[in-house]
């Protein structure tokens, strides 16, 4: 929203990286010169911090600059983060690092970003400066191709930091014509239409409507008013008031947008009159705020006073949501008392109409959010009314109910949709857990929420978050309770996937004792279930098989179908490596059959995965390949990093057994890349699986030669989870049709930008000339050329040119 302006002649080309940003729905006004200068600074410096007062448009400017940047771009939003310890995990989530390892989050980010030049946008750092500085220093030291664009109300103070002070939009000049200071250039000679000095172009009467239309603050005001009043124009009667309004608001974009809404019911002069008194009061002696901050505060105060009581109440209650929330969440948390029934909908409609709340549409789904200054203001009102703790408790309890509903319908067709919804709500979930951990008497409810979120942690890809919050809350819960035992088996599950067997053993020992003491059959089933997984991963197969069968009986007794299916595919794995492949096939088939009947896909995918291993052991290679392809197609929706790594690994084994060693090496590289991103390896899943993987790797080396096999593995090791799924399906499907081996072909396809660079190389341009023509950094071009040479397996620019010419033929 904030800083806007129409089409600019200096508009830079849109970036073409894999992580393209969403396109803003409104115009971007008055920042053409800023974008050009910001891109130049990013090309020359590895850290640029956009600073300025609240409401000046730092976020919108940074995101617009990033959208037009060439390298891969990731955006880290810190506005909803309240704890320094959450910064690194938030960065890891934003860059797409699977959160399924107990490795340090920064280590995982470094590994993930090492493959290519990257622009990292870190937004809203001002409340977390210490932790942000610590993180950025390490990332910049270990990632030479990383560029950081940060936004903060003040500079970060890092050596080498380029501070970009973002000024408000230029406002009209009130000085009479011809009184520009002698000997100075007119301030109006601004090729981008932007004037940090705050004045409009000089040498013309600022009251002239044509000149006013070109002043950035006026352009923004007109753009926003035209959405509400398409016929609004600057006239002889209102032009002085327009000038006065833009000047009183100091060109702050957020303030202008809020004021524009008032023009639906008031004239410009009436808005100026009502705002003027507030500014006078705020400018009284003893006020510490900057004048521009005073004007924004005055505008927010006024917007609040113009809201009805129900709208004010909703504004305050919504402040507990650090991230966008859907209508169901708003009704559950805010829709009581004076906001019960349709009163909440009426108040929400009013706040959206007044631009206090923004409605983001994704298909038929609407989510509602507030800009940071408005949310902070609402939090002040809620605290002043003494309602903060009550609303935060309702906020936490809403997400307990949401997580419980996810568990209740887990064995059904809504799994992927529920996981996607929880991913959207991730910042709200963390806020709810933070309230529970830091508020006396709330730890038990918080542990219940953390336990109910088990599929969000494990299938959704947030293991590190889950383990951290579970362990933090466990320290606040008395032993011997059912709530503590529930959290113990969930955190043990997480620790086992991360390879921490000793830690998991301690949790499971306590969980087992508590379950027996309480006589709780459901807890006894989980204690046996996850102890069986511990023994499976330790290689004690006979004990694992026995415990799984016991646990499945207990799960059936209490009707816990999701746990029964999960224990079922894990039992099939134990049976497979216990040299009972026929038993394993029967067990996996029962899992798949039950999951299919319910429309459940997560356990279904794992059931097909272990079915493929059992069929491979029986020598039924075509059926094994078909089974593993079914799992890979499921993973296109689930994005479960562990299942993807395991399945690509097995694809490599099956492909090796069919005599396609080159494709098998490529698949092995894909799996290794995913394992590395997860921060774990096949070794975490037991000695038998590890031994089988090593056996097939040795066979690939014998058939291809170790050097060629390793080159293919390295070629594919940079793929992320989504790429691994896509390429695995392509390679295995090609093998099903009898096509030539695909490993050498799949990654020789250049991206759109790489093709553009290759064409300019063919034209004889140097890297510096290419950078100038494409308006990107020289370092970025160097990286593109290096990847082109590697993908095409050539050693010179001449060979690149020959490839381009041959392809055009």
């Amino acid at each position: 929203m904030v800083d806007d302006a129409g089409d600019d002649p200096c508009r830079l080309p849109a970036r073409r990286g894999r992580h393209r940003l969403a396109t803003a729905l409104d115009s971007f006004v008055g920042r053409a010169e800023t974008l050009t200068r910001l891109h130049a600074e990013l090309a020359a410096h590895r850290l640029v911090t956009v600073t300025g007062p609240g409401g000046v448009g730092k976020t919108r400017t940074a995101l617009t600059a990033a959208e037009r940047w060439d390298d891969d771009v990731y955006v880290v939003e810190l506005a909803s983060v309240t704890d320094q310890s959450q910064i690194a995990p938030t960065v890891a989530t934003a860059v797409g690092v699977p959160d399924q390892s107990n490795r340090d989050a920064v280590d995982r980010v470094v590994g993930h970003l090492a493959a290519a030049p990257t622009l990292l946008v870190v937004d809203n750092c001002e409340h977390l400066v210490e932790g942000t500085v610590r993180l950025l220093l390490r990332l910049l030291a270990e990632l030479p191709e990383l560029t950081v664009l940060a936004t903060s109300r003040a500079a970060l103070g890092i050596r080498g930091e380029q501070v970009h002070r973002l000024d408000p939009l230029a406002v009209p000049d009130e000085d009479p014509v011809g009184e520009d200071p002698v000997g100075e250039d007119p301030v109006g000679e601004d090729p981008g239409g932007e004037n940090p000095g705050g004045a409009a172009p000089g040498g013309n009467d600022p009251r002239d409507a044509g000149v006013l239309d070109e002043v950035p603050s006026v352009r923004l005001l007109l753009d926003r008013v035209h959405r509400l009043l398409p016929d609004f124009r600057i006239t002889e009667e209102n032009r002085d008031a327009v000038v006065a309004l833009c000047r009183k608001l100091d060109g702050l974009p957020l303030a202008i947008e809020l004021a524009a809404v008032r023009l639906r019911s008031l004239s410009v002069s009436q808005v100026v009159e009502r705002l003027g008194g507030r500014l006078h009061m705020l400018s009284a002696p003893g006020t510490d705020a900057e004048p521009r901050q005073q004007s924004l505060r005055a505008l927010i105060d006024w917007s609040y006073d113009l809201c009805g009581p129900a709208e004010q109440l909703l504004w305050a209650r919504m402040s507990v949501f650090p991230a966008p929330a859907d209508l169901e969440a708003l009704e559950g948390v805010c829709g009581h008392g004076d906001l019960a029934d349709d009163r909440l909908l009426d108040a929400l409609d009013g706040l959206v109409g007044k631009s206090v709340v923004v409605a983001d549409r994704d298909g038929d789904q609407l989510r509602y959010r507030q800009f940071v200054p408005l949310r902070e203001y609402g939090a002040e009102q809620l605290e002043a009314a003494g309602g903060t703790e009550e609303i935060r408790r309702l906020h936490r309890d809403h997400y307990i109910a949401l997580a419980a509903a996810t568990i209740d319908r887990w064995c059904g067709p809504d799994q992927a949709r529920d996981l996607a919804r929880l991913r959207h709500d991730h910042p709200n979930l963390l806020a709810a857990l933070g309230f529970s951990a830091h508020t006396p008497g709330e730890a038990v409810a918080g542990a219940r929420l953390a336990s109910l979120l088990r599929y969000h942690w494990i299938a959704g890809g947030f293991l590190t978050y889950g383990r951290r919050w579970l362990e933090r809350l466990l320290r606040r819960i008395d032993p011997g309770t059912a709530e503590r035992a529930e959290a113990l088996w969930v955190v043990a599950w997480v620790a086992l996937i991360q390879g921490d067997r000793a830690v998991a053993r301690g949790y499971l020992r306590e969980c087992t004792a508590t379950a027996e003491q309480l006589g709780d059959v459901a807890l006894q089933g989980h204690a046996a279930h996850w102890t069986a997984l511990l023994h499976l991963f330790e290689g004690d197969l006979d004990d694992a098989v026995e415990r799984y069968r016991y646990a499945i009986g207990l799960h059936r007794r209490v009707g816990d179908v999701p746990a029964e299916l999960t224990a079922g595919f894990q039992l099939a794995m134990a049976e497979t490596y216990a040299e009972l492949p026929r038993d394993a096939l029967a067990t996996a088939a029962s899992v798949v059959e039950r999951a299919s009947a319910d429309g459940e896909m997560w356990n279904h995918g794992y059931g097909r995965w272990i079915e493929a291993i059992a069929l491979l052991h029986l020598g039924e290679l075509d059926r094994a390949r078909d089974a593993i392809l079914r799992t890979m197609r499921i993973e296109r929706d689930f994005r479960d990093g562990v299942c993807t790594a395991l399945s690509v690994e097995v694809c490599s084994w099956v492909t090796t057994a069919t005599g396609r060693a080159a494709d098998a090496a490529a698949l092995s590289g894909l799996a290794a890349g995913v394992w590395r991103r997860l921060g774990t390896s096949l070794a975490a899943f037991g000695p038998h699986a590890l031994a089988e993987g090593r056996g097939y790797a040795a066979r690939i080396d014998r058939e291809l030669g170790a050097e060629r096999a390793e080159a293919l593995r390295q070629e594919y090791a940079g793929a992320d989870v989504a790429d691994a799924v896509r390429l695995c399906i392509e390679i295995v499907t090609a093998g099903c049709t009898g096509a030539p081996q695909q490993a050498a072909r799949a990654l020789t396809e250049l991206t759109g930008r790489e093709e553009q660079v290759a064409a300019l190389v063919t034209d004889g341009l140097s890297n510096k000339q290419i950078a100038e023509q494409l308006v990107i950094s020289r370092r970025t071009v160097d990286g593109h050329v290096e990847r082109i040479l590697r993908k095409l397996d050539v050693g010179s620019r001449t060979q690149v040119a020959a490839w381009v010419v041959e392809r055009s033929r």
Side-chain angles (χ1 to χ4, degrees), residues 339-399:
L339 291 177
D341 305 321
D342 290 341
R343 283 173 286 183
L344 181 139
L345 291 176
D346 293 338
L348 181 60
D349 183 66
L351 292 179
V352 171
K354 293 178 175 66
S355 293
V356 173
V357 171
V358 178
D360 294 325
R361 184 180 296 275
D362 182 8
D364 290 335
Q365 177 69 43
L366 281 173
R367 299 178 77 85
Y368 302 91
R369 60 184 171 89
Q370 293 177 306
F371 292 106
V372 173
L374 302 182
R375 180 158 53 86
E376 291 173 345
Y377 185 94
E380 291 178 13
Q381 305 305 314
L382 188 62
E383 183 67 27
T388 300
E389 185 169 318
E390 177 193 2
I391 299 300
R392 292 198 68 186
R393 184 177 292 107
L394 288 170
H395 175 270
R396 191 270 320 283
D397 291 347
H398 167 77
Y399 287 107

Side-chain angles (χ1 to χ4, degrees), residues 592 596 601 604-605 608-609 611 623-636 647 651 729:
V592 170
S596 299
M601 300 302 292
H604 184 159
R608 293 291 188 185
W609 160 72
E611 178 186 333
R623 289 181 63 198
R625 182 172 53 199
D626 178 67
I628 205 64
L629 271 176
R630 289 172 183 261
T631 293
M632 295 309 302
R633 289 176 178 132
I634 289 172
E635 284 311 306
R636 286 184 298 200
S647 299
C651 279
I729 292 173

Side-chain angles (χ1 to χ4, degrees), residues 16 46 59 70 78 174 268 273 276 321 366 514-515 551 555 574 733:
R16 303 188 181 200
R46 296 187 59 212
T59 296
D70 181 64
L78 296 182
E174 285 187 331
V268 185
E273 179 183 352
F321 291 95
L366 281 173
T514 301
H555 290 327
T733 302

Side-chain angles (χ1 to χ4, degrees), residues 5 19 74 84 112 116 120 137 224 239-240 255-256 263 339 373 390 464 529 610 622 635 656 688 750 764 786:
H19 302 277
Y74 299 92
Q84 302 276 356
H112 188 79
L120 185 68
L137 283 173
R224 295 305 186 255
R239 61 177 57 123
D240 288 343
I256 291 170
L263 295 178
L339 291 177
E390 177 193 2
T464 301
H529 179 166
I610 195 60
D622 289 343
E635 284 311 306
T656 303
H688 297 85
L750 304 183
E786 181 182 341

Side-chain angles (χ1 to χ4, degrees), residues 767-779:
N767 285 10
K768 180 179 179 182
Q769 291 169 322
I770 294 172
E772 292 172 351
Q773 180 159 332
L774 297 180
V775 199
I776 58 179
S777 70
R778 166 68 183 274
R779 187 172 71 250

Side-chain angles (χ1 to χ4, degrees), residues 612 615-616 619-626 628 650-665 667 696 699-700 703 731-739 741:
L615 289 167
L616 175 62
E620 298 185 36
L621 301 184
D622 289 343
R623 289 181 63 198
R625 182 172 53 199
D626 178 67
I628 205 64
V650 173
C651 279
S652 175
W653 302 351
V654 174
T655 306
T656 303
T658 58
R660 301 172 65 85
D663 283 355
L667 291 164
Y696 280 108
R699 180 172 168 181
I700 293 170
E703 295 185 16
I731 293 172
V732 177
T733 302
C736 294
T737 63
Q741 293 199 340

